[in-house]
Amino acid sequence: MSSATNEEYYVPHGTHWPIIGSIGLALTVVGIANYLHDTWSATPIFVGLAIIVFMMYGWFGQVITESLSGFYSKQVDATFRWSMSWFIFSEVMFFAAFFGALFYARQYSIPWLDGASNNDATAQYLWPDFEAAWPLLSVPVSEKFNEATAVMGAWGLPAINTAILLTSGWTVTLAHWALKRRDSTWLVYWLFATVVLGFGFVGLQGYEYVHAYQDLNLRLDSGIYGSTFFMLTGFHGFHVTMGAIMLTIIMIRAAKGHFTPENHFAFEAVAWYWHFVDVVWLGLFIFVYWL
Amino acid sequence: MRFTKLTKPGSVFLAGLASLFTMPAVHAEYALNMTESVTPIGRQLYGLHMLVFWICVGIGVVVFGAMAWSIIYHRKSKGAQPANFHESTTVEIIWTIVPLLILIGIAIPATGTLIDLEDAKTDAEITVQVTGIQWKWKYTYVDEDISFVSNLAQSSRDVMKDPIGNENYLLEVDEPLVLPVNKKVRFLFHSDDVIHAWWVPELAVKQDSIPGFINDSWALIEEPGTYRGQCAELCGKDHGFMPIVVEAVSEAEYEQWLVSKKEEAAAAASAAEQEWSMQDLVARGEEVYKANCSACHGVTGAGIPGAFPAMTGSAIINDPDPSAHIDIVVNGKAGTAMASYKGQLNDVDIAAVLTYERNALGNSVGDTIQPVAIKNAR
Amino acid sequence: MSTEITHDTAHDEHDHHGPAKGLMRWVTTTNHKDIGTLYLWLSFIMLLYGGAMAMVIRLELFQPGLQFVEPHFFNQMTTMHGLVMVFGAIMPAFVGLANWLVPMMIGAPDMALPRMNNWSFWILPFAFAILASTSFMEGGGPAFGWTFYAPLSTTYGPDSTDFFIFAVHLMGISSVMGSINIIATILNMRAPGMTLMKMPLFVWTWLITAYLLIAVMPVLAGAVTMMLTDRHFGTSFFDAAGGGDPVMFQHIFWFFGHPEVYIMILPAFGVISAIVPTFARKPLFGYSSMVYASASIAILSFMVWAHHMFTTGMPVAGELYFMYATILISVPTGVKVFNWVTTMWKGSMTFETPMLFALGFIVMFTIGGFSGLMLGVAPVDTQYHDTYFVVAHFHYVLVTGALYSIIAAFYYWVPKWTGHMYDETLGKIHFWWSTIAVNVLFFPQHFVGLAGMPRRIPDYSLQFAEFNQISSIGGFAFGLAQIFFLYIVIKTIKGGVKATDKVWEGATGLEFEELPSPPPYHSFTQAPQVK
Ligand code: HEA
Ligand code: HEA
Ligand code: CUA
Ligand SMILES: [Cu+2]
C-alpha cells in the first residue's frame, strides 16, 4: 500500500474508446433480447460483438503503446494490480451466485420437496411420488423437463480435464520463470503449451457436452441438475476460452519482445486470471462432478 | 371511520402534523396502530410490537433530547465556544454495551413468540388448504371434501370508479372462508401460479403461498366475527383485488354450514347431468366470466394486447370444433397465466362460460357446450 | 516529494489544464470532475424521472377507486420508480460525489483509471435508455416490483423483462468498474502522509461501499442470468417442477439486495461525518470507532439478508438467526448516531443549509432505523411485512437518509466546485419546505401500514382514505420542493457570491485547505504533504 511516491502518474486526456464500447455493449444486449423474441435476426448481435472486439483492440492497443513508451510508473503498475485483483474477486462472486444455487438446491429445495424440515405437507399433498436425490434425475414434474438418464461421472473426461488445467497452471508458471530469467524462447514455448492445454480443455468440454446431450440426455432443460451443471460448467468453459484467447495474445506479445523481467504486468494479469479459472474448476470438479 | 373530503390544503397539513404528535394517544379512534388481534398469538405479537415501539421512543427521547440541547445551548449565536474533546473509549464501550443489552431484552420474548408462531402442527384440529390463484383464493377443507373458490365481490367491482360509500369496498368476497371459534386451525398455503400471501391482520396470519411448496400457519380464533384481509405479495395485475374474508362462527353453526355446503355440492353434481338450454348457459356463463376471466381477458373480451389474448374473434373459440376451446379452459396452458380451471369451477360453470364465450363477447358460433362434455374432458 | 502528471503527447495541441470544448468534451472526458458532474446530472434527471412516477403513484392513491391509471400500469410505475430511484438516482449520485471528492480529499491528481472511469459512466445512459424503453413495449414494462420475484418475473413476466435483465447487467458492469476504480484510487493515490486512519470518513465509507458493490453486483448479475435462462432456455432454478425453488430467487436477490441498501447509506454516513464537525466547529467525535462501525455494518450486512423473507416459510432456526443478526446492526449504527450527537455537544453550532439537511438526516434516518429495528423482530414482521409500514421505513432511510445526505453534500461542496455560494435564503426555504412535506408524505404511511394496507396496490379500502390523501399532498409538495431545488442548482452554477477557498469557517480537509474555489482542472498536480 504505497502512499508516498515521487514518481509520475500518467493521466490520459480524452478517450473515445469507452463510448464505442458502450454502443457495442448496448447493441449486443438489445440484439440478444430482440433475437429471443424473433423480432430481429442475429446480425445485430454480431455487429455489436464486433464493435466490442474493435474497442478492445483499440483500447488495449493504446495501453500497450503507452506501456512500451514507458509512460507507466510503478504507481500506475500498482493501480493495475489492485484493479485486476478486484476484477477477479468480482468474477468469484459471479460464480458464487451459481454455486449458491447449486448448494441451495442440494441442501434445501430438493430435500424440502421430499418433506424435509418443515415441509411435511409439501411432500404429502404436492409431490407424494418425489424422492430427493443428488444428482437429481427424476424431477417432480417429469413431463415438463427432459429428464437425464444417467449422471455425468467424475472420473472420465472431467478427471482428465482437471489434470489438463492443473498442468496448464504449471506451464504458465514455468513461462513466468522463463520470463524472469529473460529466456524468451522458453517463455513462448511454455505459453504455447498453456494455450494448447487451454483450448484442449475447451475441446474436451465440448465433447463432453455432446456426450451429455446424446448419450445421457443430460440437458440444460433436464431440471435443476442439468441447469446447475450446464450453467456452472458453461460459464467456466466460457472463462477458459477467454483466458486462452488472452494467453494467445500474451504469447504473441511475448514473441514480439514486449515483456521484460521488470515490466510485464499484462502477462501476470492473465496468469492470475488463468489461476482463478483453475481454482473455479477445482470447485466444479468437487461439487458438480464428484460429491 | 367515515371518509371525509379534506378540502383546504392548510387543514391537511395541520392534520398531518397533528398526527405526528398524537400517535399513541388517539389510536382508539383512528386506525393509527397495529390492528388488535382475536388470537392468542396475535395478542403476543401486539405486545411485542408495543414493547419495541416504546423502547424506540425511549431511545429517541434521549438521542433527540441531547441533540436538541446542543442545538439550543451550544450554538455560536449564543456565544458558545467549541470544546475540543474528540475521543473517549469509555463512552464508546458504554454505548455499544447498553444497546446490546436492550437488544437482548427484545430478543428473548421475540424468540419465544416466534417459536409459538411457527408451531402450526401440534394439536391442530382442522386443516384448511389455501391456494392462491391469480387473483382469487381457493379453500379446501382437507378432512371434509369441501372445496370452493373465493373471489372479489361483484359489489366492489361495480364501483371502482367511485367507491365512496361502498361498505367494505375491496374487502368483500363472494364466498367467505367459514371457521369455528376456539379450535386450532392449521392452514396449508400453496399457489398455482405466482407467489401470493394470505393475510388477515386480526388473525395475525400472514404467510406466503408459493408454487411447488406448502407453508403452514395457524390461528385459534377466540371471538366470533367477520375478519377481512388481503393478498400481501405482489402477484401481478390484480394483486390489489384478491381479498380474504373469514367468518368465525360457533361450533354448531360451523357444523351446519358444513352440511349445507355438502348439499350444495351434491345439487351441483346432479345439475351437471342435465341438458342445459343455451339461454341458461349464457346467463350463467356471464356471471362466471365476470368473476373468473374478465380480470385478464377484459369484461368486453378485448384482452390486453401483448399480455392476454382477446376473446373476441379468437380462433380457438370460433373453431366449430370445440375441443381446443374446452381443453384450454379445463387444462389451462402450462407456462402461461392461463390456468387450469378444472380445480376451480364445476362442470356446469365451465360449460356455461364456454357457451358464453362462443355466443357473446362479439362471437357467434351458435352452439352450446353441455356440462357432460366437460365431465368427459376432465 | 511531489507527484507530477504526464499526458499523452497526442493531445499536446490544446491546453493541458483545461477541458476540451463542445459536446465531445463530455463524451470523451477522463477528468474526474467532469465525470463527477456527469454522474450528478444523470442522477438528478433520474430523480425527476423516478419522482414523476412517484407522483403518478400518489395521484392514483389520492382517493380510493381507480381514477387515473390501470392496475397493470400502476404496477409498472411502482416497479420503475423503485428501480430508477435505487439504480438511477441514489447510486450514481454517490458515485458522482466520489468522483468529485475522493481525489481532492486524498491529494491525488485524478482517479486511478481515468479512461475506465469514463466507461463506467457512459454505460449508464445506455442502460437507462434500455430500461426506460421497456415502458413502451407491447405488454408493458416490468411490473413485478423492483425486487422482481420469480415466478412473476420469469414464467409470468412480460416480454420486456429480457430488456430489463440486460439493463441490469449493464448497470452491474458499470458499478463494478466504478468500484474498482475507487478502490484503486483510495489505496494507491493518496498523497504522502495521508495514512488510512487520516482519511476523511467519506473516503473510508466509500472504500467500504466499493467492496460491497464488487461483492454483490455480480451476484445480482447471476440472479438475472438465471432468470434469463429460466425464461428462455428451460433451466429450472426457480421452478419447483424441476427441483428448484422460487424462494431461491429471493435468497440470491437479497444477498445482493440487503448490502445494496447499505451501499446507499454508507457514503451518506461519510457525508454527514464531514458536515457535522464543520458546523459544530469541533472535530468529529470518535473517528476510529466511526471507521470500525462502518466496517462492522458492512460485514453484518452480508449476514442478514433473509429478514426480507420472514413470511416465506423458512425453518424456525433460520428465522431466529436472521432476526438476531438483523437487530445487531442497530449497535454499530447507533455508535454512528451517538458520535454525531456528541460531536455537536459543546460545539459552537451554526445552521447553514448543509447543516440543516445533516441534522434532518440524523433525526429522520434514526426514525427510519427505529422502524427497521421493529421490522427486524421476526414474529412481528409477519404483520409488518409487505405493508406501507415497510414503505414508510425505507423512505425514511432512503429519502430523508440517502437523498438528504446527497442534498446536504451538494450545498456543502458546491461552493468549492463552482466557486459560487448558493443562495442561503433559498437553501433554507428548500430545507424547511422539504422537511415538512416529506414528513406529511411518509409519516402517515406508518399508520396505514399498521392498520393493514398492503404495499403495491393501486386501490385501497375506504378506511385508509384520509391518510393516503394527506400522504399524497405531502408528496406533491415534496416533489415541487425538488423542482425548486433544481432552480437553486442552476442558479448556483450560473453565478453567485464568490466563495472563499475555505468556504466554511470550520471546514477542514485537503479540498478546503489546499485548493482554491473552484479547484483547478487537475486537482493536485503537486501532491500536498499531509501532516
Ligand atoms: C438506506 C437504506 C436502508 C437502511 C439504512 C436500512 C436499515 C435497516 N433496515 Fe431496512 N429496508 C430498506 C432500506 C434500508 N434499511 C429497504 C429499501 C427495504 C424494503 C425493500 C423492499 O422490500 O422493497 C427495507 C426493508 C427492511 C426489512 C424487511 C421488511 C419486510 O419487508 O418485511 C427489514 C426487516 O428486518 C429491515 C430492517 C432494517 C434494519 C434493522 C436496519 C438498521 O440498519 C437500522 C439501524 C438504525 C437504528 C436502529 C437507528 C439508530 C440507532 C440508535 C439510535 C442506537 C440505539 C438503538 C437501539 C439499540 C434500538 N429493513
Ligand atoms: C431510492 C430512493 C427512493 C426515493 C428517493 C423515493 C422517493 C419517493 N417515493 Fe418511493 N420507493 C422506493 C425508493 C425511493 N422512493 C422503492 C425502492 C420503492 C419500492 C418499489 C417496489 O415496491 O418495488 C418505492 C415505493 C414507493 C411507494 C409505494 C408504491 C407501492 O407500493 O405501490 C410510494 C407510494 O407512495 C412511493 C412514493 C415516493 C415519493 C412520493 C417519493 C418522493 O420523494 C419523490 C420526490 C421527487 C420528485 C417528485 C421529483 C420532482 C418532481 C417532478 C419530476 C415533477 C412532478 C411534480 C409534481 C406533479 C408536483 N415510493
Ligand atoms: Cu395475490 Cu397479491
Ligand atoms: Cu435488508
Side-chain angles (χ1 to χ4, degrees):
Chain A
M1 263 181 238
S2 76
S3 57
T5 173
N6 55 359
E7 288 189 63
E8 298 186 326
Y9 197 89
Y10 175 74
V11 178
H13 238 189
T15 170
H16 50 269
W17 294 118
I19 191 74
I20 294 175
S22 298
I23 292 171
L25 266 180
L27 184 59
T28 309
V29 297
V30 172
I32 298 175
N34 276 302
Y35 178 72
L36 288 174
H37 296 294
D38 291 327
T39 37
W40 287 1
S41 73
T43 320
I45 306 178
F46 294 112
V47 176
L49 289 174
I51 295 175
I52 295 175
V53 171
F54 169 67
M55 177 275 291
M56 296 221 273
Y57 185 80
W59 190 331
F60 287 133
Q62 190 176 3
V63 171
I64 291 168
T65 318
E66 286 166 1
S67 170
L68 294 178
S69 322
F71 282 0
Y72 293 165
S73 60
K74 277 269 172 307
Q75 204 185 351
V76 178
D77 193 62
T79 292
F80 289 159
R81 280 163 199 277
W82 280 119
S83 308
M84 191 66 197
S85 329
W86 291 111
F87 169 67
I88 290 178
F89 176 62
S90 77
E91 292 266 45
V92 169
M93 292 309 292
F94 183 74
F95 276 99
F98 288 90
F99 273 109
L102 174 70
F103 295 141
Y104 185 92
R106 292 180 61 167
Q107 294 300 313
Y108 300 113
S109 66
I110 292 174
W112 284 353
L113 288 166
D114 193 17
S117 181
N118 53 353
N119 276 281
D120 57 304
T122 305
Q124 187 185 343
Y125 294 102
L126 297 180
W127 318 112
D129 302 327
F130 177 74
E131 264 176 59
W134 188 265
L136 185 70
L137 295 183
S138 51
V139 298
V141 181
S142 40
E143 311 85 70
K144 215 174 146 182
F145 298 93
N146 275 294
E147 291 186 329
T149 52
V151 172
M152 181 64 74
W155 299 109
L157 267 187
I160 297 174
N161 261 345
T162 309
I164 289 180
L165 265 199
L166 289 178
T167 316
S168 76
W170 178 237
T171 51
V172 80
T173 307
L174 289 174
H176 196 189
W177 290 351
L179 170 57
K180 280 202 184 145
R181 51 170 205 272
R182 288 182 202 281
D183 183 346
S184 54
T185 320
W186 278 101
L187 166 60
V188 175
Y189 282 171
W190 285 126
L191 274 176
F192 183 71
T194 315
V195 169
V196 170
L197 289 168
F199 283 115
F201 174 94
V202 176
L204 286 180
Q205 183 87 30
Y207 178 76
E208 183 189 272
Y209 279 9
V210 173
H211 169 64
Y213 264 76
Q214 288 185 347
D215 306 332
L216 310 180
N217 200 35
L218 173 59
R219 304 154 47 113
L220 193 54
D221 56 359
S222 294
I224 193 72
Y225 175 46
S227 307
T228 51
F229 177 85
F230 281 104
M231 293 302 280
L232 275 163
T233 57
F235 271 116
H236 177 261
F238 174 72
H239 281 75
V240 176
T241 313
M242 287 294 128
I245 293 172
M246 294 191 315
L247 279 169
T248 313
I249 293 165
I250 291 296
M251 183 176 74
I252 296 168
R253 288 188 62 196
K256 284 190 182 167
H258 279 188
F259 302 122
T260 64
E262 298 77 37
N263 191 354
H264 56 267
F265 176 68
F267 175 95
E268 279 181 272
V270 175
W272 290 353
Y273 191 81
W274 195 248
H275 290 307
F276 147 71
V277 168
D278 213 353
V279 171
V280 171
W281 174 258
L282 288 181
L284 285 179
F285 183 70
I286 295 172
F287 295 111
V288 176
Y289 291 98
W290 182 11
L291 294 182
Chain B
M1 191 166 76
R2 253 189 60 250
F3 175 63
T4 44
K5 272 219 157 83
L6 292 165
T7 38
K8 285 196 224 89
S11 69
V12 175
F13 271 104
L14 284 181
L17 278 181
S19 63
L20 299 186
F21 300 112
T22 51
M23 180 170 170
V26 293
H27 75 254
E29 201 186 329
Y30 298 91
L32 293 180
N33 203 348
M34 191 185 257
T35 317
E36 287 188 60
S37 175
V38 293
T39 67
I41 199 86
R43 282 191 263 275
Q44 277 187 51
L45 292 185
Y46 187 84
L48 205 49
H49 159 72
M50 290 317 284
L51 169 76
V52 185
F53 171 72
W54 285 116
I55 289 176
C56 289
V57 171
I59 299 173
V61 167
V62 174
V63 173
F64 301 148
M67 227 175 116
W69 184 275
S70 311
I71 289 173
I72 295 167
Y73 294 106
H74 306 151
R75 55 167 68 210
K76 197 181 176 199
S77 55
K78 287 216 167 172
Q81 290 297 315
N84 197 31
F85 61 87
H86 57 84
E87 221 162 21
S88 162
T89 313
T90 321
V91 302
E92 301 283 354
I93 291 176
I94 292 175
W95 64 45
T96 307
I97 300 288
V98 171
L100 204 60
L101 294 176
I102 297 176
L103 292 180
I104 293 174
I106 296 173
I108 290 171
T111 303
T113 308
L114 186 70
I115 290 172
D116 290 349
L117 183 72
E118 294 295 330
D119 182 18
K121 229 170 130 184
T122 315
D123 300 330
E125 292 162 277
I126 296 175
T127 305
V128 180
Q129 190 173 338
V130 180
T131 311
I133 301 167
Q134 280 182 328
W135 292 285
K136 55 200 150 225
W137 296 98
K138 182 176 160 191
Y139 300 108
T140 307
Y141 290 72
V142 172
D143 307 315
E144 301 288 349
D145 198 27
I146 291 179
S147 173
F148 59 91
V149 174
S150 176
N151 275 291
L152 174 64
Q154 195 61 36
S155 61
S156 289
R157 291 183 200 266
D158 289 339
V159 294
M160 276 184 192
K161 288 279 169 250
D162 183 19
I164 292 162
N166 182 298
E167 213 192 338
N168 296 322
Y169 173 60
L170 294 187
L171 294 178
E172 194 73 89
V173 296
D174 52 4
E175 267 201 89
L177 175 67
V178 178
L179 293 175
V181 293
N182 295 322
K183 291 227 167 195
K184 180 167 177 177
V185 183
R186 182 186 187 206
F187 299 105
L188 299 177
F189 297 104
H190 167 236
S191 165
D192 274 357
D193 37 51
V194 303
I195 303 179
H196 304 263
W198 197 84
W199 181 33
V200 181
E202 279 138 319
L203 306 193
V205 175
K206 183 189 285 152
Q207 192 66 244
D208 289 3
S209 39
I210 296 168
F213 292 85
I214 288 182
N215 280 328
D216 62 2
S217 186
W218 65 281
L220 194 151
I221 308 172
E222 292 180 330
E223 284 162 40
T226 306
Y227 305 112
R228 297 170 197 278
Q230 275 173 281
C231 176
E233 179 65 62
L234 179 60
C235 52
K237 184 168 83 62
D238 282 357
H239 158 62
F241 307 95
M242 50 186 292
I244 296 149
V245 178
V246 176
E247 299 276 8
V249 296
S250 71
E251 226 197 307
E253 286 171 283
Y254 174 68
E255 293 299 338
Q256 234 176 352
W257 177 82
L258 285 181
V259 171
S260 69
K261 254 312 186 201
K262 284 178 185 158
E263 281 167 1
E264 236 175 71
S270 73
E273 302 295 325
Q274 295 162 18
E275 180 87 3
W276 283 61
S277 77
M278 161 97 90
Q279 210 183 358
D280 290 349
L281 282 173
V282 170
R284 182 163 179 156
E286 185 173 2
E287 298 302 311
V288 179
Y289 183 84
K290 271 195 196 157
N292 292 284
C293 323
S294 63
C296 296
H297 296 298
V299 185
T300 61
I304 297 179
F308 306 116
M311 296 291 96
T312 312
S314 150
I316 291 183
I317 294 176
N318 288 292
D319 188 342
D321 173 11
S323 52
H325 191 188
I326 295 176
D327 177 68
I328 194 165
V329 179
V330 171
N331 298 312
K333 185 156 172 188
T336 73
M338 183 62 207
S340 155
Y341 278 87
K342 66 179 162 204
Q344 297 181 39
L345 299 176
N346 62 33
D347 294 349
V348 178
D349 285 340
I350 295 182
V353 77
L354 289 175
T355 310
Y356 174 72
E357 283 190 333
R358 297 174 85 74
N359 299 294
L361 303 173
N363 301 322
S364 50
V365 187
D367 55 358
T368 63
I369 308 283
Q370 290 299 329
V372 264
I374 308 301
K375 195 175 173 194
N376 298 336
R378 278 184 194 256
Chain C
M1 291 212 256
S2 70
T3 298
E4 277 167 26
I5 56 166
T6 51
H7 303 295
D8 50 356
T9 35
H11 288 77
D12 255 295
E13 312 91 62
H14 55 245
D15 183 12
H16 267 175
H17 297 280
K21 296 281 174 311
L23 176 69
M24 285 315 276
R25 163 190 175 179
W26 298 104
V27 177
T28 62
T29 183
T30 49
N31 178 273
H32 73 101
K33 299 194 184 73
D34 284 354
I35 295 174
T37 305
L38 286 170
Y39 266 112
L40 289 174
W41 274 115
L42 175 79
S43 129
F44 208 129
I45 293 166
M46 287 293 143
L47 178 73
L48 297 182
Y49 176 41
M53 291 187 281
M55 294 300 110
V56 174
I57 295 174
R58 285 315 329 164
L59 185 66
E60 180 55 59
L61 295 178
F62 186 71
Q63 1 166 356
L66 283 176
Q67 285 86 11
F68 299 98
V69 297
E70 291 294 314
H72 186 58
F73 186 76
F74 182 91
N75 290 345
Q76 294 176 46
M77 289 292 107
T78 298
T79 306
M80 292 289 268
H81 163 70
L83 289 169
V84 165
M85 285 301 195
V86 169
F87 293 102
I90 305 294
M91 290 171 68
F94 282 129
V95 183
L97 290 175
N99 260 292
W100 259 101
L101 296 171
V102 168
M104 297 206 286
M105 284 178 161
I106 63 173
D110 205 300
M111 296 292 281
L113 291 158
R115 277 192 283 247
M116 196 168 85
N117 201 16
N118 173 299
W119 203 21
S120 305
F121 173 78
W122 275 106
I123 287 180
L124 287 181
F126 291 89
F128 286 109
I130 294 173
L131 184 63
S133 72
T134 58
S135 298
F136 305 99
M137 293 177 186
E138 208 183 22
F144 29 63
W146 84 284
T147 52
F148 49 101
Y149 281 5
L152 188 59
S153 61
T154 52
T155 318
Y156 297 84
D159 285 355
S160 61
T161 309
D162 303 309
F163 292 86
F164 154 82
I165 288 173
F166 287 120
V168 171
H169 275 125
L170 294 188
M171 290 170 201
I173 296 173
S174 159
S175 288
V176 169
M177 290 197 302
S179 308
I180 289 176
N181 214 341
I182 288 170
I183 293 180
T185 308
I186 296 174
L187 293 182
N188 193 33
M189 305 281 284
R190 276 169 287 130
M194 176 62 79
T195 60
L196 285 177
M197 290 310 272
K198 276 190 191 152
M199 294 193 313
L201 264 171
F202 179 74
V203 181
W204 254 116
T205 50
W206 240 116
L207 180 64
I208 295 168
T209 304
Y211 281 119
L212 287 181
L213 275 167
I214 296 185
V216 300
M217 289 311 281
V219 175
L220 176 68
V224 291
T225 306
M226 290 178 215
M227 268 174 70
L228 187 76
T229 57
D230 266 15
R231 283 169 59 81
H232 292 287
F233 304 110
T235 58
S236 55
F237 289 105
F238 311 134
D239 185 355
D245 184 352
V247 176
M248 187 206 296
F249 173 85
Q250 299 183 22
H251 282 286
I252 301 174
F253 178 85
W254 288 114
F255 185 84
F256 148 81
H258 187 81
E260 167 69 21
V261 307
Y262 291 96
I263 286 166
M264 294 188 281
I265 206 67
L266 282 172
F269 290 164
V271 168
I272 303 306
S273 303
I275 293 176
V276 170
T278 297
F279 297 96
R281 293 172 179 70
K282 195 163 148 277
L284 181 69
F285 189 82
Y287 172 89
S288 44
S289 64
M290 288 297 240
V291 172
Y292 301 137
S294 307
S296 317
I297 293 173
I299 292 167
L300 281 173
S301 77
F302 284 112
M303 312 196 300
V304 302
W305 73 88
H307 63 215
H308 297 271
M309 303 164 54
F310 283 139
T311 61
T312 55
M314 264 183 292
V316 185
E319 294 190 333
L320 285 174
Y321 159 75
F322 282 109
M323 168 169 79
Y324 301 147
T326 298
I327 60 180
L328 201 57
I329 297 195
S330 310
V331 174
T333 316
V335 168
K336 310 216 79 153
V337 173
F338 299 140
N339 277 320
W340 290 323
V341 173
T342 314
T343 305
M344 291 180 240
W345 190 257
K346 291 205 186 303
S348 170
M349 295 218 280
T350 52
F351 303 94
E352 288 85 347
T353 309
M355 183 61 162
L356 289 178
F357 275 98
L359 293 173
F361 172 100
I362 298 175
V363 173
M364 292 183 280
F365 168 78
T366 303
I367 293 176
F370 286 153
S371 57
L373 175 76
M374 296 173 78
L375 294 168
V377 181
V380 204
D381 181 65
T382 57
Q383 295 313 295
Y384 306 135
H385 177 67
D386 264 331
T387 66
Y388 264 77
F389 191 78
V390 178
V391 177
H393 156 65
F394 67 73
H395 282 96
Y396 267 87
V397 282
L398 281 169
V399 177
T400 58
L403 186 61
Y404 260 46
S405 82
I406 292 163
I407 297 174
F410 168 82
Y411 284 113
Y412 185 60
W413 278 291
V414 77
K416 171 56 62 183
W417 298 337
T418 62
H420 309 142
M421 289 306 283
Y422 59 87
D423 185 328
E424 190 62 56
T425 318
L426 297 187
K428 290 212 162 91
I429 294 174
H430 178 215
F431 171 75
W432 287 109
W433 181 356
S434 297
T435 302
I436 294 171
V438 84
N439 283 291
V440 176
L441 165 58
F442 292 121
F443 210 85
Q445 297 188 354
H446 290 111
F447 307 145
V448 285
L450 289 173
M453 178 167 162
R455 59 191 283 209
R456 296 164 165 170
I457 55 173
D459 194 6
Y460 46 82
S461 54
L462 305 184
Q463 82 219 49
F464 307 123
E466 268 101 341
F467 284 131
N468 270 294
Q469 198 163 50
I470 293 169
S471 175
S472 287
I473 289 170
F476 303 143
F478 187 74
L480 282 180
Q482 306 328 310
I483 303 281
F484 180 57
F485 180 44
L486 178 64
Y487 167 74
I488 299 178
V489 172
I490 294 172
K491 184 169 178 241
T492 312
I493 294 173
K494 287 210 160 149
V497 181
K498 185 95 192 62
T500 61
D501 289 351
K502 201 165 176 229
V503 184
W504 311 107
E505 188 192 4
T508 54
L510 292 180
E511 79 274 30
F512 290 116
E513 288 165 334
E514 303 277 343
L515 289 174
S517 304
Y521 194 55
H522 291 291
S523 309
F524 288 99
T525 42
Q526 295 283 316
Q529 183 68 44
V530 181
K531 286 135 267 160

